[in-house]
Amino acid sequence: MIDFRYHIVSLISVFLALAVGIILGAGPLQGTLGEQLSGQVEQLREERNDLRAELDETTLDLESTDRYVEAVGPELVTGSLVGRSVAVVGTGELDDDWYEPIAEQLAVAGASVSSQVDLTSAWTDADAQDDRDAAADETRLATGEPDGSSEEALATALVMALVEEDPLDPEQLSTDAQDLLTMLSDDGLVDVATAPTAPAEAVLVVVPQRAEEDASDGTQTPTAGDGATEEESTDDAGAAAVQDQLQVVVAAESAVGAVVVAGPDLSDGDLISWVRDDEQTTSTVSSVAQVGEAPGQINVPLALAAELQDVTGQYGLDDAATAAVPPLQEPEEPEEAATPESSDGATGDDGEGALDGSTDEPTDQ
């Protein structure tokens, strides 16, 4: 049993230690501790001010660069796609803030956006596989291509709906193309934002801006099953969704040859990364990253113009890009109109040989 004197000694020790601490803190150690704390505070304040100055300088540099790019961009882009028709395919819903700056650059380039369609979640959702299989069987009858997976059949049908010409009028879509788009829309696989007005010569595939809470390119987050963890199931579903979207890119390249995939900053397993890593697409399909910024938006029409002249590249400011900017292409000049001739075979370019055969010789007054 602990003796009462032990408690007395313990209490006295505690109070002695407290007293010694107070005496030292208020006496000889007061100045030293205060100076150390003051010095640390001053050092932290200086570091904060230095970091703030560096941030302001970096921000100013970025703003200056953006202003320069925005000023020079139109000079590079203007006229690069005059007379060209482009079909836009969103791998998900494209909001105005994300797509409109791209559309503005296409307009500056002189391109005609012949159509805009967005893939819905049913295009990649694992739970909608049966519906996709049924829709694919329906489209195979129209496309006449019975082979391949359902995803390949649907991709072929979508591209055909955007690019196939009417045999009797090449400036119009074929009846089969119109029927295919209606079919895909009715099946809930695509949303038609802008109905096709003409066959497209090039296809622009746009990846939506990545949501902060979901980095899986708009795919639904699946639940874990069959012993798999939720993280593994999510990764597998995301990879499968991107592969389904990649089929559209492959089908478009096969149909028109000029295809550009544009999207945000690269992330592991996104569509642009797949395009750049796949042996088939990296040499036939161009990609543009960072389209949320002015340089990326300007690169989109330049990459399309290059693709239309069989020049493929991967563009952006990331390490995986082959170049920061697509090589500039000479726009195709329209054919010169024939010089009108007079009825007697003389031209009227310089006043020689009027149409009525008379001359311009002055008469005597």
Side-chain angles (χ1 to χ4, degrees), residues 6 15 28 50 61 69 79 91-92 103 153 184 186 191 199 211 226 246 263 276 282 284 311 318 349 365:
Y6 177 81
F15 283 112
D50 292 341
D61 290 342
V69 171
T91 60
L184 294 171
D186 290 345
D191 287 331
D226 298 330
L246 187 65
R276 295 181 177 184
T282 190
T284 57
V311 178
D318 53 277
D349 292 344
Q365 299 294 328

Side-chain angles (χ1 to χ4, degrees), residues 8-132:
I8 296 296
V9 172
S10 298
L11 289 173
I12 293 174
S13 300
V14 169
F15 283 112
L16 283 175
L18 180 61
V20 170
I22 293 174
I23 293 171
L24 292 176
L29 296 181
Q30 180 180 14
T32 303
L33 291 174
E35 291 175 359
Q36 288 179 349
L37 291 175
S38 298
Q40 291 177 357
V41 170
E42 183 63 27
Q43 181 181 359
L44 291 173
R45 184 180 292 113
E46 292 177 357
E47 291 178 357
R48 181 203 63 185
N49 292 337
D50 292 341
L51 290 173
R52 179 176 294 172
E54 291 179 8
L55 178 60
D56 292 342
E57 183 178 355
T58 302
T59 302
L60 181 60
D61 290 342
L62 290 174
E63 291 176 351
S64 300
T65 301
D66 287 343
R67 288 197 298 269
Y68 176 79
V69 171
E70 291 172 358
V72 174
E75 298 294 330
L76 302 176
V77 171
T78 300
S80 58
L81 291 173
V82 169
R84 298 293 198 170
S85 59
V86 179
V88 177
V89 178
T91 60
E93 183 179 358
L94 302 178
D95 60 64
D96 292 341
D97 291 340
W98 185 251
Y99 172 65
E100 283 303 320
I102 300 174
E104 290 175 2
Q105 293 299 330
L106 293 176
V108 170
S112 171
V113 177
S114 59
S115 59
Q116 183 202 335
V117 299
D118 299 332
L119 306 182
T120 68
S121 59
W123 192 276
T124 57
D125 189 0
D127 294 335
Q129 185 63 56
D130 292 341
D131 294 335
R132 285 200 298 276

Side-chain angles (χ1 to χ4, degrees), residues 92-276:
E93 183 179 358
L94 302 178
D95 60 64
D96 292 341
D97 291 340
W98 185 251
Y99 172 65
E100 283 303 320
I102 300 174
E104 290 175 2
Q105 293 299 330
L106 293 176
V108 170
S112 171
V113 177
S114 59
S115 59
Q116 183 202 335
V117 299
D118 299 332
L119 306 182
T120 68
S121 59
W123 192 276
T124 57
D125 189 0
D127 294 335
Q129 185 63 56
D130 292 341
D131 294 335
R132 285 200 298 276
D133 291 341
D137 290 339
E138 191 177 8
T139 60
R140 285 188 178 100
L141 298 175
T143 60
E145 296 188 12
D147 299 330
S149 65
S150 296
E151 288 69 28
E152 291 172 337
L154 292 173
T156 299
L158 174 60
V159 172
M160 184 180 294
L162 303 177
V163 307
E164 186 174 76
E165 302 174 350
D166 187 327
L168 301 179
D169 187 357
E171 295 184 359
Q172 300 295 326
L173 285 165
S174 68
T175 302
D176 288 343
Q178 299 175 44
D179 292 342
L180 282 169
L181 188 59
T182 300
M183 199 180 302
L184 294 171
S185 178
D186 290 345
D187 289 335
L189 293 170
V190 299
D191 287 331
V192 181
T194 302
T197 56
E201 301 173 81
V203 176
L204 172 63
V205 179
V206 181
V207 180
Q209 186 176 17
R210 193 175 298 107
E212 292 182 1
E213 67 277 5
D214 180 14
S216 58
D217 293 324
T219 58
Q220 296 182 353
T221 302
T223 57
D226 298 330
T229 65
E230 182 175 350
E231 183 177 357
E232 290 172 345
S233 297
T234 302
D235 292 342
D236 292 343
V242 174
Q243 286 180 318
D244 293 344
Q245 297 164 0
L246 187 65
Q247 295 300 328
V248 177
V249 177
V250 173
E253 196 284 324
S254 177
V256 296
V259 182
V260 173
V261 179
D265 293 335
L266 267 66
S267 65
D268 291 339
D270 67 356
L271 183 58
I272 294 181
S273 296
W274 276 76
V275 167
R276 295 181 177 184

